[in-house]
Amino acid sequence: MAVTTSRIMPWTPAWRLDGLLMILLIVLMSLGLFVLYSAGEQEIGLVWRQAVRLAMGLMVLIVVAHLPPRLLQIWAPWLFVLALILLAATLVFGVGRGAQRWLDLGIVRFQPSEAMKLALPIMLATFLARRPLPPRWADSLLALILIAVPVLLIVTQPDLGTAVLVAASGLILLFLAGLRWRLIGLMALGLTAALPLLWVNLHAYQQNRVLTFLNPERDPLGQGWNIIQSKIAVGSGGLTGKGWQASSQSHLEFLPEPHTDFIFSVLAEEFGFIGVIGVLVLYAAVILRSLYMASRCRDSFGRLLAGSLAMMFFLYAAVNIAMVSGLLPVVGVPLPLVSYGGTSAVTLLAGFGLIMGLYSRRRFMDRL
Amino acid sequence: MLARSVNTMRDEQAELGVIGSRYRWLVAVVLVVMILLGIRFATLQMIDHDLYASRAEDNRIKLQALPPNRGLILDRHGQVLAENLPAYRLVIVPERTEVLTETLDELSALVEVSSSERERFERQRQRSRRFEAVTLKTNLDEEQVSRLAIHRHRLPGVEIEPYLTRHYPHGPELAHVIGYVGRIDQRDLQRLPVERYRGTTHVGKTGIEHQYESVLHGHPGLERVETNAQGRVLRVLERSAPEPGENLSLTIDLSLQQAAVEALGDHAGAVVLLDVASGDVLALVSQPGFDPNLFVHGIRSNTYNALLSDRHRPLFNRFLSGAYEPGSTIKPFLSLAGLETGAVTPNTQVFSGGHFQLPGHSRRYRDWRRGGHGWVDLEAALAESVNVYYYQLAVELGIDQIARELALFGFGRATGLDLPGESDGVLPTRSWKRAVFNEPWFPGETVITGIGQGFVVVTPLQLAHATAALAGRGRTAAPTLVGNTEPVQMVAHGAAHWDAVFDGMAAVVHGDSGTARAIADMLPTQIAGKTGTAQVFGRPNDDQERALLDEDALPEQLRNHALFMGFAPLHEPRIALSVVVEHGGGGASVAAPVAAQVMARALELGY
């Protein structure tokens, strides 16, 4: 029946895609390709490769949107365990410069931490939705352990940025589930107390990043260089920007990684404050639309999972934008759907697929 | 099973309510964060925009100095005395090397890098900006350049750069006149205007190079260039060409300079040849010289120490700073003083019996000829250099009057030649001795002043200048190397006085008993001259003992300095000269032939 409906009206819920969110996402990605052309030294090949990846990501989105939520709940433990095994394998067989983040599967290089970004929320949502909500103390503790295991594995790689994001997505899910404020307060206290312990366990380069973030001029030609040059790029853009392909900071190679982590600086330099506000509004629209959809899902599982995925996208965007403007240390988080690079875009689009799929199964009453 | 499902159904409503309230929190967080980010960008892009815009420009645009080419130094006929030659230097961009220390070691094996070059490289590297080339070695020879070219592909960051280097084609012959340029050092940095010396590595250190630095240096140009973060120049935005330094024509005549060097031969000494009317310095020699080219590229310390410890002191500028007793070359000037004050007339006869004694003193002041010269008038006294005549004249004049008269000829003060480091010499008076030694003046000191000994010392340049004043009958210009001085009447005397002294000086060379009669044959025309001998410290002071010395048998460093001063032609003189030959022995036998050779050449060239 779903098949027949979709044949007649492709944008009906049976098609399981959300028209508004799709349009917002496509606008955002197109804008990203546009900026990428300028930031990637006007190399059209680079833009094409990224466009192909995004197209693949959209296909993944459509496939994922059609997965029945029941199936997800059944698969959840297996997906989670598989992701954990892959993460552990990364520690042993992994490849990568400085940190072991990749698994070389011969044809493709695969980043298991990306899989965990989806596997953990699915697992948590499944687990919590079966228990009474708000979660009891014991359930909360179990959920925290479920979060801690993959996060610790990712930290060991080491990939602090991803670990923080994965942890945050899990915690947000717990928060949505109604985690008691008392417990939240306790956790905040515990985290504050653990900070010094965390600090001494950080790698030297991670400590340096944080110190340099607190005072970039401490090492203006080394660690501080990225932050300083990025702020110069952003600030020199002014209200209206220098114009497309006119960013001196990126074209003269002062800005590091202009087509990946610092692509937002290029955007800010070339399109100015007006461009920045435009993109911020676009991101806000995507996130708010996703949150709205998530809150309308049929059951707790859907609301928990979709909400945490929407918030993960928000975290990506906010962390990256805060980083390039010097509000956060350089943590190597790309700008979602805009930065050059395939893995995270595919994960994020799969996340939107889940959101749309879950939303499409909302109660009939809610559809009116 | 059923109960549980009902239970679940009931719970779900409440649960969805909980989740719903949490959503409102998340929406609030998202909105607040987005607004905060918006405020952050508003601050960076609008409030602080000017700051970051100028920092972006500073990033992008660099000012590059284009150092000016240094002016050439030419002789009076346009012969090049200092030029700029293309050369190659080895520079390193430290950021582009793989491992800097390894690259340096490898380069040391290829082209021999001294420890001082490496130290200088380190110092400069610490001052330089990112991706700036730092010089390791200058003035590479052809073999080094080709060896580097072969190995350069595996030495990233190493470059061979062309530049212009100062070169002195005549090396030691003019070292004390031209001087040399050297690397700008810490002291120069404090002294030089930063703007004008942007990009310049060398500055005049001594001689003409130092004296006329502001003329020779020129003004640097500037290039505003756009560079990338690696410091590579992408394009030139604006360029103002450097203004090269002016060429400087000296009054020196290279061929006369070379003739003077040749005439001095292996002797240490000085020759100064002046144009009487204009004060132009035609030849200016201090022997031995040194190779100024050694200093341009940074002299090696062992080479420098060898120069410093050389017994003949090649770095010492004899014509400018050498203080010599004038010996008998003072006699023509004393003669004029005597004539002027009426102490003697040209016809005054003085008896030379071999020695002179002050009334009431036992010390005997000797004539150079044992047994004396008999009765002599002024002409004979000059021609034969009769000491007794001048002992007596000096005593009659008194030291203060001598000083007054000699000062008119410029003795006792620097001539003002345009070279740094000129000495004043000493023209003693009673008050001078009181001030310097805190002692009274003794009469015996006046006696020996009569033959140019004692406290009086002159530089060869002063002697030549005084001789020019004499030749011009009191009128000459201050000595100059660029021809910018005007003649002035320094001394006024009646014509008869000049004639009398000129006759005596002519007789020195052309008279039958003249001390320098041996050189008459070497000269194409009549000249005037006077020989002199200056004492050297460390010789026996006792007259008796000294009289027994055979000058030629003495070890060289104890021999007297030989002097000669003179001008030519005798009538209407155009050139004046002084010669000092250190440890040459007698003025007549050693200095006079040198002078004759130089004068003959000058006259031959039409001066």
Side-chain angles (χ1 to χ4, degrees):
Chain A
M1 182 187 144
V3 177
T4 44
T5 318
S6 67
R7 207 186 291 143
I8 302 160
M9 299 171 67
W11 294 106
T12 59
W15 176 234
R16 307 216 178 280
L17 299 180
D18 180 66
L20 178 57
L21 187 54
M22 278 305 273
I23 289 167
L24 289 173
L25 288 176
I26 287 166
V27 169
L28 185 61
M29 289 188 289
S30 312
L31 214 99
L33 292 174
F34 187 63
V35 178
L36 186 64
Y37 179 71
S38 172
E41 293 170 356
Q42 292 81 28
E43 196 194 317
I44 195 73
L46 193 83
V47 178
W48 273 116
R49 280 199 296 281
Q50 181 69 359
V52 167
R53 282 193 195 124
L54 293 175
M56 275 163 53
L58 281 176
M59 283 189 275
V60 170
L61 180 150
I62 294 167
V63 170
V64 169
H66 290 82
L67 292 176
R70 250 279 128 270
L71 209 59
L72 286 176
Q73 280 167 293
I74 294 166
W75 287 354
W78 306 110
L79 279 175
F80 184 65
V81 169
L82 182 68
L84 276 182
I85 290 170
L86 287 175
L87 268 181
T90 316
L91 292 181
V92 186
F93 311 108
V95 289
R97 281 172 304 168
Q100 300 185 329
R101 298 173 184 175
W102 300 80
L103 267 188
D104 202 334
L105 303 181
I107 320 160
V108 267
R109 271 152 55 113
F110 173 71
Q111 214 172 347
S113 55
E114 286 296 328
M116 190 51 85
K117 283 178 190 166
L118 294 177
L120 178 66
I122 295 174
M123 179 67 211
L124 270 182
T126 309
F127 171 71
L128 289 173
R130 284 193 194 153
R131 315 275 154 152
L133 294 181
R136 287 170 296 205
W137 285 85
D139 291 338
S140 302
L141 205 66
L142 264 170
L144 284 175
I145 290 167
L146 280 180
I147 296 171
V149 173
V151 166
L152 285 176
L153 282 174
I154 298 172
V155 166
T156 329
Q157 283 183 353
D159 186 354
L160 198 63
T162 308
V164 167
L165 283 171
V166 168
S169 71
L171 292 174
I172 287 166
L173 204 146
L174 259 175
F175 174 80
L176 272 175
L179 187 68
R180 287 167 214 284
W181 286 107
R182 263 178 298 171
L183 200 55
I184 295 172
L186 257 170
M187 279 169 58
L189 265 175
L191 199 67
T192 317
L195 267 183
L197 198 72
L198 183 70
W199 175 254
V200 296
N201 279 309
L202 283 181
H203 284 248
Y205 86 94
Q206 293 166 330
Q207 293 185 344
N208 269 332
R209 273 191 191 172
V210 177
L211 285 177
T212 310
F213 159 68
L214 294 173
N215 178 20
E217 305 294 339
R218 168 179 170 266
D219 184 11
L221 297 183
Q223 294 284 333
W225 174 265
N226 294 2
I227 296 175
I228 293 171
Q229 295 303 331
S230 177
K231 279 165 73 177
I232 291 174
V234 170
S236 66
L239 179 65
T240 52
K242 297 177 184 172
W244 191 45
Q245 302 185 38
S247 150
S248 71
Q249 283 291 101
S250 86
H251 292 145
L252 302 179
E253 296 160 46
F254 288 97
L255 196 62
E257 310 277 338
H259 59 290
T260 57
D261 289 1
F262 286 91
I263 196 166
F264 196 78
S265 316
V266 179
L267 182 136
E269 189 179 358
E270 295 190 349
F271 300 102
F273 185 59
I274 291 171
V276 167
I277 288 298
V279 173
L280 281 180
V281 166
L282 194 54
Y283 271 108
V286 167
I287 293 156
L288 293 176
R289 173 68 187 164
S290 302
L291 281 178
Y292 169 80
M293 287 162 66
S295 70
R296 288 305 171 105
C297 290
R298 169 189 287 268
D299 51 14
S300 315
F301 171 74
R303 293 188 187 189
L304 292 178
L305 178 56
S308 88
L309 292 173
M311 285 306 285
M312 191 167 75
F313 182 79
F314 160 72
L315 274 180
Y316 258 95
V319 167
N320 178 272
I321 294 171
M323 173 183 93
V324 303
S325 59
L327 288 175
L328 280 182
V330 175
V331 283
V333 173
L335 186 65
L337 300 185
V338 173
S339 282
Y340 180 78
T343 322
S344 85
V346 171
T347 316
L348 289 164
L349 287 172
F352 283 112
L354 286 174
I355 296 172
M356 290 185 196
L358 292 165
Y359 176 65
S360 69
R361 292 174 176 85
R362 65 193 180 278
R363 282 169 204 280
F364 182 71
M365 283 300 286
D366 292 338
R367 294 181 190 173
L368 297 178
Chain B
M1 191 66 195
L2 180 72
R4 195 190 158 190
S5 120
V6 170
N7 196 18
T8 316
M9 285 289 287
R10 198 196 64 221
D11 281 348
E12 210 158 83
Q13 286 310 315
E15 283 169 6
L16 294 180
V18 168
I19 296 175
S21 78
R22 291 292 163 102
Y23 268 106
R24 284 190 282 282
W25 277 98
L26 291 186
V27 170
V29 167
V30 168
L31 288 176
V32 166
V33 168
M34 285 297 181
I35 288 167
L36 285 177
L37 287 175
I39 291 171
R40 173 65 173 174
F41 277 84
T43 313
L44 287 176
Q45 300 195 283
M46 284 151 81
I47 296 171
D48 294 338
H49 169 65
D50 290 344
L51 168 72
Y52 290 112
S54 73
R55 287 187 70 178
E57 284 299 280
D58 287 349
N59 264 347
R60 185 170 77 91
I61 289 164
K62 296 226 160 50
L63 284 179
Q64 257 184 359
L66 306 168
N69 288 345
R70 197 172 174 84
L72 304 180
I73 301 175
L74 310 167
D75 91 334
R76 65 188 300 124
H77 299 303
Q79 302 267 24
V80 175
L81 307 181
E83 60 191 336
N84 305 313
L85 291 183
Y88 291 94
R89 62 186 162 209
L90 175 58
V91 299
I92 297 178
V93 182
E95 284 82 358
R96 291 218 181 95
T97 59
E98 276 159 6
V99 182
L100 181 60
T101 51
E102 279 175 23
T103 303
L104 284 173
D105 289 341
E106 205 157 337
L107 286 172
S108 305
L110 279 176
V111 294
E112 191 193 348
V113 179
S114 72
S115 59
S116 66
E117 282 168 329
R118 213 159 152 161
E119 276 167 36
R120 192 182 310 118
F121 172 81
E122 277 305 320
R123 272 201 308 276
Q124 235 186 308
R125 188 168 74 87
Q126 266 141 37
R127 281 205 306 257
S128 65
R129 283 184 301 223
R130 257 165 74 97
F131 291 100
E132 205 171 60
V134 182
T135 303
L136 177 64
K137 193 177 174 66
T138 53
N139 202 33
L140 301 167
D141 61 37
E142 263 175 57
E143 199 195 320
Q144 290 169 326
V145 170
S146 58
R147 218 177 308 153
L148 283 168
I150 293 169
H151 292 277
R152 230 189 73 190
H153 65 278
R154 50 183 193 80
L155 294 170
V158 173
E159 273 159 50
I160 304 165
E161 200 179 78
Y163 71 109
L164 287 177
T165 183
R166 199 65 158 173
H167 181 247
Y168 305 104
H170 301 288
E173 288 175 357
L174 279 143
H176 286 290
V177 178
I178 307 289
Y180 51 82
V181 297
R183 230 175 258 285
I184 292 178
D185 61 28
Q186 217 55 43
R187 276 216 318 277
D188 298 322
L189 282 177
Q190 286 164 9
R191 178 172 63 85
L192 298 171
V194 178
E195 286 301 315
R196 252 190 95 179
Y197 281 83
R198 235 174 240 263
T200 298
T201 56
H202 284 66
V203 67
K205 297 279 188 179
T206 63
I208 286 291
E209 292 275 33
H210 178 80
Q211 185 79 20
Y212 288 104
E213 174 64 27
S214 59
V215 177
L216 292 166
H217 176 63
H219 289 270
L222 270 184
E223 243 177 12
R224 265 162 45 90
V225 294
E226 187 176 72
T227 61
N228 66 9
Q230 279 78 53
R232 186 164 288 148
V233 174
L234 301 180
R235 61 194 166 118
V236 177
L237 302 173
E238 203 183 307
R239 185 176 195 275
S240 67
E243 200 180 294
E246 287 173 40
N247 291 351
L248 191 64
S249 289
L250 299 187
T251 56
I252 295 281
D253 182 318
L254 180 60
S255 60
L256 277 177
Q257 179 81 9
Q258 286 168 331
V261 169
E262 200 181 314
L264 266 177
D266 292 335
H267 290 292
V271 176
V272 181
L273 181 66
L274 301 176
D275 183 289
V276 171
S278 64
D280 286 359
V281 179
L282 301 173
L284 195 54
V285 177
S286 174
Q287 284 275 88
F290 59 90
D291 184 0
N293 293 303
L294 291 174
F295 288 84
V296 177
H297 308 293
I299 191 165
R300 283 170 186 275
S301 60
N302 54 351
T303 316
Y304 187 60
N305 287 334
L307 284 175
L308 280 181
S309 57
D310 190 322
R311 197 159 52 84
H312 297 295
R313 299 168 74 201
L315 297 179
F316 182 57
N317 190 331
R318 289 173 165 78
F319 58 74
L320 204 59
S321 319
Y324 302 95
E325 285 185 343
S328 299
T329 59
I330 203 174
K331 288 174 181 170
F333 305 100
L334 278 178
S335 305
L336 271 170
L339 292 168
E340 182 64 15
T341 57
V344 288
T345 69
N347 301 320
T348 302
Q349 298 278 325
V350 171
F351 184 76
S352 152
H355 66 265
F356 172 83
Q357 267 175 298
L358 280 168
H361 289 258
S362 62
R363 173 156 181 186
R364 293 175 161 201
Y365 299 91
R366 298 184 164 276
D367 250 324
W368 61 271
R369 184 188 288 171
R370 203 171 294 186
H373 304 263
W375 285 100
V376 291
D377 60 4
L378 178 61
E379 183 181 320
L382 277 169
E384 296 176 27
S385 201
V386 178
N387 287 354
V388 168
Y389 187 98
Y390 288 96
Y391 291 144
Q392 202 169 314
L393 176 57
V395 171
E396 268 181 61
L397 288 168
I399 189 63
D400 288 342
Q401 192 149 250
I402 290 172
R404 215 159 38 238
E405 292 292 325
L406 291 189
L408 296 174
F409 285 94
F411 289 109
R413 63 169 192 274
T415 64
L417 180 72
D418 34 6
L419 281 181
E422 189 179 356
S423 295
D424 282 327
V426 175
L427 190 53
T429 60
R430 285 165 207 281
S431 56
W432 171 86
K433 195 180 176 202
R434 175 65 69 188
V436 176
F437 294 101
N438 195 25
E439 272 179 18
W441 185 265
F442 299 116
E445 291 162 350
T446 308
V447 178
I448 59 171
T449 305
I451 60 163
Q453 292 180 2
F455 294 113
V456 59
V457 290
V458 301
T459 66
L461 181 64
Q462 272 177 336
L463 186 56
H465 178 46
T467 306
L470 189 66
R473 293 176 182 254
R475 187 177 173 78
T476 189
T480 168
L481 279 161
V482 295
N484 61 356
T485 55
E486 292 297 321
V488 287
Q489 192 71 37
M490 296 168 66
V491 205
H493 282 294
H497 293 169
W498 297 111
D499 289 340
V501 172
F502 286 11
D503 287 347
M505 287 175 70
V508 168
V509 179
H510 304 288
D512 292 336
S513 58
T515 52
R517 61 186 179 277
I519 65 166
D521 293 343
M522 301 166 67
L523 293 158
T525 177
Q526 285 213 317
I527 69 157
K530 184 69 196 80
T531 57
T533 303
Q535 291 178 307
V536 168
F537 284 115
R539 285 163 55 99
N541 250 336
D542 183 77
D543 283 324
Q544 300 289 342
E545 241 181 282
R546 194 189 293 176
L548 297 174
L549 286 174
D550 178 358
E551 191 70 34
D552 291 334
L554 274 174
E556 192 200 339
Q557 68 269 26
L558 292 182
R559 281 186 216 159
N560 284 330
H561 297 325
L563 283 84
F564 188 90
M565 59 81 97
F567 54 83
L570 177 59
H571 303 291
E572 292 177 25
R574 296 187 296 271
I575 53 171
L577 120 170
S578 72
V579 172
V580 173
V581 180
E582 284 189 5
H583 310 298
S589 56
V590 184
V594 172
Q597 225 173 305
V598 175
M599 281 179 147
R601 178 88 180 114
L603 292 169
E604 190 186 312
L605 289 170
Y607 287 104

